[in-house]
Amino acid sequence: MFTGESPDNYEQKCLCVLVLDVSGSMGGEPIRQLNQGLQEFHQEVTKDFLASQRLEVSIVTFGSSVKCIQDPALVGNFEMPTLSISGSTKLVDGVRLAADMVENRKEWYRNTGQNYFRPMIVLITDGEPDGDQDVKGLSTQIRQANDSKKFTFWALGVQGYNHQKLSQICPPNTPPLSLAGYKFSEFFKWLSNSIGIITKSAEGERLLLPPVSGWTQMEM
Amino acid sequence: MQQTDWIFAFASVIGNSHISENIPCQDACRVGVFDKFTVSVVTDGAGSCKNSHLGSNQVSDFCIYHAEKLITRQGWVTEFPNQEVWHDTAKQILITVRKDLENYSIEHDIDFKSLACTVIMAISLPDGLLITHIGDGRAGYCTQEGQWLPMITPFHGEVANETVFITSDIWNDDLVDLYIESNVISGQVSAFCLLSDGCEKAAFEVNLYNSDKSIYYDPNRPFPAFFNPNRTGLTKLHEQLKSQDDINNLWAEFLTAGTEKLRLETDDKTMVLGVKIIQAI
């Protein structure tokens, strides 16, 4: 009969930066639902053994100011914070901070000899960037990063968001998705399932992600 | 009188993620046993390519066919080649295999690039082993003294699991030697293994942590506690006169869930284990 022991290898990492809108318009039910969704996302990833060993989550919030409230960490190494609202919508600054964090983390992976999956940035917003925000510049930056495979970029629009502006920012291969109502829980369930698939995939593989029908609506 | 022979266990098993997504097993393997030499091949189809399961099977067959012809023609059973001669010859075999794959794609009206797969091929000869490969996966051997050592370095791109394939554009003179690695293991070898990347975390040390230097590193080391018991197991099954099919079925069972790492792995898993035995004739 065949038998044997396996060595204790560490897993390769996959970074997901959540860029979350905490502007005033997210007050009340939206922020409550978003917080609940984040908690459930944390629980779902924790339950998936491989994803919990591979996925590093980081959280950037943007309102009147931009903050990194969670540095990249495996889900077992942090507790999901509770978000509170603050003012306007520095969306572009938030995404730019996330892009910088991706580059810094990749450099750290390389310097410490770690393999990694292509990082992803997930933007969630219910509004449109403040008037002084450089949407065009961000759009160019995101598209270049997408073309050179620096990271993948997904955006989720919440009730009242500006679809045209968000479409301008997103790369053509990942257009913005529109959240039905405040179904954050369903979205984060989908995200954790998708991450489960991504972190078990080979580079370049056609990924069959779960259907989005439970939480999206068409936006024309 | 005594005779030296090689015995094998070889199998490909479909990964859990491929089962749930209704994708066929994209790995393949073959072992050809000939007069005084053997040819073993492991191929791993690219996940992104819809016909890579066909490519991996075709490439495995073509490798066995061309390697067998070449070893016989070169007379390497009695005259073991040096590194340079083997590398040049390995390239020629792989170019011929690629050409056969192109012809196959034309005959069957299949996009050539959709047949993408990695390939690892080992030839055991009386005086040692020859190995060549394109892409990722692992291969190792055991010395007569019982030390397990790696015999290839997998090719990885910037991100995890990114690699090159036999269908990739790597064949001009400037590039080919960067992507095709060939090695000669001269002297007595008591066992060897070839495996697709789906098996590597279960069977090789590939990602360890050095706390003194605070870095992760890939020792690319076959794990003795994985291979030695299986080497014994294969020898026992041979002594019990089990058929090759029976051995391979047991091997497939082991690759499916024989250790926790194998059980949890979602990628396709393929491994060839060869063990040298000496028997009275």
Side-chain angles (χ1 to χ4, degrees), chain A residues 1-13 49-50 54 106 108 110-119 148-150 197 199-208, chain B residues 9 18 21 47-50 158-162 200-209 214-216 223 225-226 229-230 233-234 237 247 250-251 254 258-259 261 264 266:
Chain A
M1 281 298 290
F2 294 113
T3 182
E5 290 174 29
S6 289
D8 290 325
N9 286 304
Y10 287 87
E11 293 292 340
Q12 52 222 5
K13 299 297 188 292
F49 178 76
L50 270 186
R54 293 179 175 180
K106 279 164 70 173
W108 181 75
R110 285 192 288 266
N111 289 342
T112 54
Q114 297 189 75
N115 290 327
Y116 55 92
F117 292 90
R118 195 174 312 290
S148 57
K149 299 185 174 178
K150 286 186 173 177
I197 292 168
T199 55
K200 293 162 192 124
S201 68
E203 174 60 18
E205 193 163 353
R206 280 172 300 126
L207 297 176
L208 194 63
Chain B
H18 287 189
E21 290 160 33
S48 55
C49 297
K50 72 171 181 177
E158 185 203 341
V159 296
N161 299 334
E162 191 175 46
E200 69 180 22
K201 288 193 197 72
F204 269 57
E205 289 175 302
V206 297
N207 194 12
L208 304 185
Y209 184 64
S214 299
I215 56 163
Y216 295 81
F223 195 54
F226 181 93
N230 285 314
L234 176 56
L237 290 170
I247 290 172
L250 290 167
W251 190 232
F254 175 73
T259 73
K261 281 254 167 35
L264 288 172
T266 53

Side-chain angles (χ1 to χ4, degrees), chain A residues 4 61 64 139 158 198:
Chain A
T61 59
S64 299
S139 173
V158 182
I198 290 165

Side-chain angles (χ1 to χ4, degrees), chain B residues 87-212:
Chain B
H87 183 55
D88 286 344
T89 308
K91 282 190 287 188
Q92 286 310 312
I93 293 175
L94 292 169
I95 287 169
T96 312
V97 168
R98 190 178 194 269
K99 201 156 271 176
D100 282 359
L101 192 66
E102 266 183 307
N103 291 336
Y104 171 85
S105 75
I106 293 164
E107 280 168 28
H108 293 80
D109 196 19
I110 294 171
D111 172 28
F112 175 62
K113 294 276 184 181
S114 77
L115 297 165
C117 66
T118 64
V119 54
I120 307 172
M121 177 172 68
I123 297 166
S124 72
L125 292 162
D127 292 323
L129 279 178
L130 309 175
I131 180 105
T132 189
H133 81 106
I134 300 171
D136 59 11
R138 306 274 169 167
Y141 69 101
C142 188
T143 64
Q144 199 72 358
E145 293 73 36
Q147 188 183 10
W148 281 95
L149 298 166
M151 53 181 176
I152 62 169
T153 304
F155 178 87
H156 289 135
E158 185 203 341
V159 296
N161 299 334
E162 191 175 46
T163 192
V164 294
F165 306 103
I166 195 165
T167 50
S168 302
D169 299 320
I170 55 171
W171 298 88
N172 72 50
D173 290 345
D174 295 337
L175 291 176
V176 70
D177 290 325
L178 296 175
Y179 294 109
I180 297 180
E181 181 191 13
S182 313
N183 289 312
V184 165
I185 314 294
S186 48
Q188 293 305 306
V189 170
S190 60
F192 71 89
C193 59
L194 314 180
L195 44 142
S196 64
D197 66 338
C199 286
E200 69 180 22
K201 288 193 197 72
F204 269 57
E205 289 175 302
V206 297
N207 194 12
L208 304 185
Y209 184 64
N210 181 328
S211 54
D212 292 336

